Amino acid sequence: GIIDITLLGIAAMIGAGIFALIGIAAGIAGPALLLAFLFNGIIATFTGLSYAELGSAIPVAGGSYVWVRIALGDFAGFLAGWCSWSANSIACALYAVTFGAFLSEDIVNMLGISVPQDMVAKVASVVIVTFLTYVNYRGVKESGKVGGAVTALKVAILLTFSAFGIYKTITRPDWISSFTPFMPNGIVGVLASMGLTFIAFEGYEIIVQSGEEVKNPEKNIPKAIILSLWIVVAIYLLVAFASLGAIQSNVPSWMYLGKLAEFGLIRIADQILPFGSVLILIGGLVSTISAMNATIYSSSRMAFAMGRDAFLPEIFSKIHAKNRTPYYAIFFSYVIVVFLSLAPIEIVATAASITFLMIFITINFVEVVLRYRRPDLRRAFRVPFVPILPLVTIAMQMIVGYYL
């Protein structure tokens, strides 16, 4: 239903991007991090419109891979399928790495256990990915229940953090100084920050992967894409404003956040609200759990679709008799995610953003091609100003990719 897939999109977008990357991104863009999130939201919306049209016209598991294959042929479809499987698997690994970092912060620092924090983080990453793979193996209904509850919790935590932070900001007489200079590293800093955090705006890729399992996909897929995206953009802007404006340190707040890197939000939270660090730790943990749940789902559906079309071994297309899930595809996606989760967070985030940018550029091009080659497709939703809007979006994404 519409609520289920909207929550699935939100789950995929509110993950490492806000909890772990906000500190790193603030150190790159300065207070102009607000612009980076807003511009990313606009570019993602333009691409989301292409996804909405294609996802409602061709609602099948595999999403972008199937559309590329229809528009550009089997070989291009094969490459797009590999790229999408990689992107979702890398994104899942990013959330796993973030979960491990947050849990290790809790275990090592709060409980005073003398174990190497990095080791605790890696073990935690593998354990949580294993558990969520089992949840996905059991079925979409169970997966959806877990994801929906966790998503509601993390949104509530972020809104609470934002409310306290914004109140603290606007009650300071000199609060504007936290946002001055607004763009300390120029437009290059904004563009580099956009590239790093672009992974945070890819929820519509997961929504279209669920096409065969959605009620009334022609109407619900476009609605879910736009709803989930702008709910997330609003939350990101509120959290960024609260983080930059409410904290006080010997250096500018954006510089302080940059030094704290992936632990930025946790370590400033106690300045903003009572038991803030505990709340953000909980939010970060549940956030990455729901994002991992969504991306395990998405990556396994891509492998399933390619197996069904004989672009991967037929075993990937096998459906479990009882659970009705593509269990071999889920298992192989799990193996990739575990391997990738051993890499540093900056490397994983950059790789995820690059692969998603490649997919989104391709889909905007496919939108133009199919509009002219397949006018017979039943389009419940249509992108305005084709081919101009998709081509402008491609240009913007190539600029972001270059600076990334």
Side-chain angles (χ1 to χ4, degrees):
I2 181 69
I3 294 174
D4 300 316
I5 56 171
T6 300
L7 286 174
L8 190 67
I10 293 171
M13 289 186 276
I14 298 183
I18 193 68
F19 283 98
L21 297 182
I22 191 168
I24 301 169
I28 297 170
L33 174 64
L34 295 167
L35 278 185
F37 283 156
L38 181 61
F39 290 161
N40 266 346
I42 292 169
I43 295 174
T45 299
F46 292 160
T47 301
L49 295 177
S50 293
Y51 270 83
E53 177 174 322
L54 296 171
S56 60
I58 314 171
V60 292
S64 56
Y65 145 71
V66 177
W67 310 333
V68 174
R69 189 181 171 202
I70 291 170
L72 304 175
D74 285 355
F75 183 67
F78 172 73
L79 294 178
W82 273 103
C83 193
S84 183
W85 191 16
S86 300
N88 283 285
S89 299
I90 297 168
C92 188
L94 172 63
Y95 305 137
V97 170
T98 306
F99 176 91
F102 274 42
L103 192 65
S104 66
E105 175 84 352
D106 190 6
I107 292 172
V108 175
N109 291 350
M110 291 190 173
L111 303 181
I113 298 173
S114 57
V115 178
Q117 188 167 347
D118 186 59
M119 188 182 78
V120 174
K122 298 305 180 190
V123 170
S125 300
V126 173
V127 169
I128 192 62
V129 169
T130 303
F131 168 71
L132 289 173
T133 300
Y134 175 72
V135 170
N136 273 266
Y137 161 75
R138 286 298 303 272
V140 174
K141 188 175 180 181
E142 286 74 12
S143 175
K145 285 178 180 177
V146 171
V150 167
T151 301
L153 177 60
K154 68 183 179 180
V155 168
I157 287 172
L158 288 174
L159 290 178
T160 302
F161 173 89
S162 300
F164 275 86
I166 291 169
Y167 175 78
K168 188 168 182 180
T169 299
I170 61 177
T171 52
R172 279 177 47 211
D174 62 337
W175 69 268
I176 199 73
S177 63
S178 296
F179 299 89
T180 311
F182 186 67
M183 206 180 290
N185 295 321
I187 192 65
V188 172
V190 175
L191 289 167
S193 181
M194 286 173 67
L196 180 70
T197 58
F198 201 78
I199 177 64
F201 300 88
E202 47 75 38
Y204 41 81
E205 171 77 10
I206 280 93
I207 289 172
V208 298
Q209 296 290 4
S210 64
E212 291 183 29
E213 296 156 273
V214 176
K215 300 171 186 175
N216 195 6
E218 293 83 1
K219 290 184 178 179
N220 285 340
I221 287 178
K223 285 180 183 176
I225 286 172
I226 302 303
L227 268 174
S228 62
L229 183 57
W230 280 97
I231 288 170
V232 167
V233 170
I235 291 170
Y236 271 47
L237 289 172
L238 290 172
V239 172
F241 183 85
S243 301
L244 289 163
I247 61 172
Q248 293 179 307
S249 66
N250 296 327
V251 295
S253 57
W254 63 269
M255 205 177 286
Y256 181 63
L257 281 166
K259 287 179 180 178
L260 295 175
E262 66 262 38
F263 298 108
L265 214 58
I266 300 175
R267 294 180 183 170
I268 67 166
D270 281 335
Q271 288 190 42
I272 292 176
L273 74 164
F275 306 105
S277 60
V278 174
L279 198 64
I280 292 299
L281 266 172
I282 294 169
L285 292 173
V286 298
S287 156
T288 48
I289 286 171
S290 65
M292 276 186 280
N293 188 53
T295 45
I296 288 171
Y297 173 90
S298 182
S299 61
S300 64
R301 267 41 179 195
M302 177 57 64
F304 161 75
M306 292 181 73
R308 186 170 60 181
D309 294 338
F311 283 134
L312 287 176
E314 187 184 355
I315 194 172
F316 285 81
S317 66
K318 290 190 179 298
I319 300 290
H320 193 277
K322 180 182 177 183
N323 298 331
R324 308 303 300 159
T325 53
Y327 57 115
Y328 281 106
I330 290 170
F331 173 74
F332 279 98
S333 293
Y334 161 74
V335 172
I336 294 171
V337 172
V338 168
F339 177 75
L340 291 169
S341 64
L342 302 176
I345 190 168
E346 293 89 346
I347 300 294
V348 183
T350 302
S353 288
I354 286 172
T355 47
F356 273 114
L357 274 169
M358 289 166 63
I359 294 168
F360 297 156
I361 287 168
T362 305
I363 292 306
N364 280 296
F365 180 66
V366 164
E367 161 64 29
V368 176
V369 171
L370 284 181
R371 182 66 74 86
Y372 292 102
R373 283 191 180 174
R374 293 293 306 274
D376 58 302
L377 285 174
R378 184 171 173 270
R379 293 170 166 87
F381 175 87
R382 295 175 71 87
V383 178
F385 310 118
V386 172
I388 295 170
L389 187 60
L391 294 177
V392 168
T393 307
I394 288 172
M396 291 190 290
Q397 288 170 332
M398 291 178 74
I399 292 168
V400 170
Y402 171 80
Y403 282 100
L404 175 62

